[in-house]
């Protein structure tokens, strides 16, 4: 089972391509998506134990990826949030870093770097623990 990835991306074509690429190349399992800041924040907060990685677009149908990042600063230690944008300027990278974003990737030329990041996240995930014991007491 791959790490659970949630997408906040308003472009359906990009979202579908990203989902396929994540599953094939990074071993990720996309658990859902939203197209707006409010919907993304609502889902991520309502399901705090259902995601390991959130990939967020900077410019959304309504709101911004920066709002999602700001709302998710208190996430669990293993949870990663990355920004995926066509505007990965120095200023945007600095603003994202100030909000606790783990990485920023340019949609046009850093998709391979995003996949590498996702693989590293998956490999760094703690192994699931078994809730049952052997019963040999």
């Amino acid at each position: 089972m791959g790490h659970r990835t949630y997408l906040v991306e308003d472009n359906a074509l990009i979202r579908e391509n990203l989902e396929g690429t994540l599953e094939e190349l990074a071993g990720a399992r996309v658990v859902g998506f939203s197209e707006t800041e409010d919907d993304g924040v609502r889902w991520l907060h309502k399901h705090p134990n259902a995601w390991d990685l959130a990939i967020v677009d900077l410019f959304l149908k309504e709101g911004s990826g920066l709002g999602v990042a700001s709302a998710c600063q208190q996430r669990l230690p293993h949870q990663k949030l990355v920004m995926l944008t066509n505007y990965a300027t120095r200023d945007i990278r600095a603003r994202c870093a100030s909000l606790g974003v783990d990485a920023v990737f340019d949609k046009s030329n850093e998709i391979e770097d995003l996949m590498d990041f996702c693989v590293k996240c998956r490999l760094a995930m703690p192994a699931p623990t078994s809730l049952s014991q052997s019963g040999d007491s």
Side-chain angles (χ1 to χ4, degrees):
M1 177 177 88
H3 57 284
R4 301 161 301 171
T5 303
Y6 188 78
L7 304 176
V8 184
E9 169 64 64
D10 60 348
N11 183 306
L13 181 60
I14 290 173
R15 192 174 56 242
E16 290 167 12
N17 289 336
L18 186 59
E19 182 174 354
T21 302
L22 285 164
E23 290 174 354
E24 183 178 335
L25 299 180
R29 182 170 51 96
V30 175
V31 295
F33 74 90
S34 58
E35 297 182 337
T36 68
E37 176 184 335
D38 287 345
D39 288 345
V41 168
R42 187 176 305 111
W43 191 93
L44 292 166
H45 283 181
K46 187 174 180 180
H47 303 92
N49 296 310
W51 62 279
D52 305 307
L53 173 67
I55 299 176
V56 181
D57 186 15
L58 180 61
F59 295 109
L60 300 167
K61 189 178 286 187
E62 293 176 10
S64 149
L66 295 175
V68 175
S70 180
C72 292
Q73 290 183 63
Q74 301 301 315
R75 60 190 177 272
L76 298 173
H78 78 277
Q79 293 174 320
K80 304 296 180 198
L81 189 141
V82 301
M83 196 69 61
L84 185 62
T85 179
N86 285 320
Y87 303 94
T89 64
R90 182 179 297 145
D91 289 341
I92 291 296
R93 290 177 190 273
R95 179 74 175 122
C96 287
S98 75
L99 293 172
V101 171
D102 295 288
V104 177
F105 298 100
D106 191 299
K107 285 182 182 179
S108 60
N109 60 16
E110 294 180 334
I111 296 298
E112 188 173 313
D113 295 334
L114 170 63
M115 293 304 123
D116 289 344
F117 180 89
C118 292
V119 168
K120 288 176 186 171
C121 287
R122 181 175 50 85
L123 295 174
M125 290 284 302
T129 57
S130 174
L131 297 177
S132 63
Q133 296 184 0
S134 66
D136 294 349
S137 309

